[in-house]
């Protein structure tokens, strides 16, 4: 890796660390540059706007989420529903443990900006979920993309409501397991009993 690529990667790495430690409000160009040990103008050489740097940091989040989901699926039983449950647990677990990153990854202004193809960065995950839904519900009347879309929306909404504390307040429950089970049952039908509890 040449010096320019190394510094660019370092700026993103520092941004990821800062995001995890202090949240998205700490992600100024000046603070990232300071922590990376470069002049405050140096990030502009690689990221012409603040949004472009934030997009690079968010893209690192999609890479990290994909790795966590891959690990979860490797350990999951082979049945499609069990794999969807593993994916769901990894997705909502990531949202809980990397809350700042999760929020940044889905920020409307970043997705709308088009920097680094950020909107497309989540497509491999969606295609994976769609494939698993098609396996779990072969011959279902509804297109698997539609079921995967509403399943993703439900998982994302549940994750956000848990992060805000609203779900716990409304239901008195902090364990996400019953909510995940209800989401899968609503969109995939009852568990046939093949999957572990």
């Amino acid at each position: 890796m040449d010096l320019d690529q190394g510094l660019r990667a370092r700026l993103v790495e520092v941004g990821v660390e800062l995001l995890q430690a202090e949240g998205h409000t700490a992600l100024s160009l000046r603070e990232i540059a300071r922590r990376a040990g470069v002049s405050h103008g140096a990030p502009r050489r690689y990221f012409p706007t603040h949004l472009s740097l934030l997009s690079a940091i968010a893209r690192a989040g999609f890479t990290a989420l994909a790795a966590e989901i891959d690990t979860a699926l490797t350990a999951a039983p082979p049945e499609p529903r069990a794999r969807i449950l593993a994916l769901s647990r990894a997705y909502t677990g990531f949202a809980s443990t990397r809350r700042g990153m999760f929020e940044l990854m889905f920020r409307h202004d970043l997705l709308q900006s088009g920097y680094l193809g950020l909107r497309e960065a989540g497509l491999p995950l969606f295609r994976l979920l769609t494939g698993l839904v098609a396996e779990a519900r072969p011959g279902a009347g509804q297109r698997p993309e539609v079921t995967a879309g509403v399943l993703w929306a439900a998982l994302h909404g549940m994750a956000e409501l848990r992060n805000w504390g609203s779900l716990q307040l409304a239901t008195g429950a902090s364990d996400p397991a019953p909510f995940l089970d209800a989401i899968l049952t609503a969109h995939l039908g009852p568990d046939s009993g093949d999957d572990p509890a």
Side-chain angles (χ1 to χ4, degrees), residues 24-154:
H24 64 88
T25 57
L27 290 177
S28 70
L29 286 172
R30 185 176 294 271
E31 183 59 17
I32 291 171
R34 186 186 74 75
R35 292 190 185 212
V38 297
S39 72
H40 71 269
R44 295 267 186 213
R45 180 173 176 190
Y46 309 99
F47 303 101
T49 66
H50 191 217
L51 279 181
S52 62
L53 176 54
L54 293 180
S55 295
I57 295 167
R59 192 166 183 90
F62 279 107
T63 300
L65 175 59
E68 288 190 20
I69 288 173
D70 187 55
T71 298
L73 291 179
T74 299
E79 296 81 16
R81 187 185 177 105
R83 292 172 62 77
I84 293 171
L85 179 59
L87 182 153
S88 300
R89 286 176 177 157
Y91 187 83
T92 57
F94 183 94
S96 177
T97 59
R98 306 200 48 194
R99 182 176 176 175
M101 179 61 83
F102 190 74
E103 290 174 2
L104 185 69
M105 288 162 58
F106 294 100
R107 260 181 51 175
H108 182 264
D109 58 337
L110 296 186
L111 294 171
Q112 286 294 104
S113 74
Y115 284 119
L116 304 177
L118 190 59
R119 184 185 294 271
E120 291 76 23
L123 290 180
L125 170 62
F126 183 70
R127 288 186 192 110
L128 172 63
L129 181 58
T130 300
L132 290 171
V133 166
E135 289 178 43
R137 300 184 64 211
Q142 186 165 289
R143 291 177 40 226
E145 294 86 357
V146 173
T147 302
V150 295
L151 182 57
W152 180 22

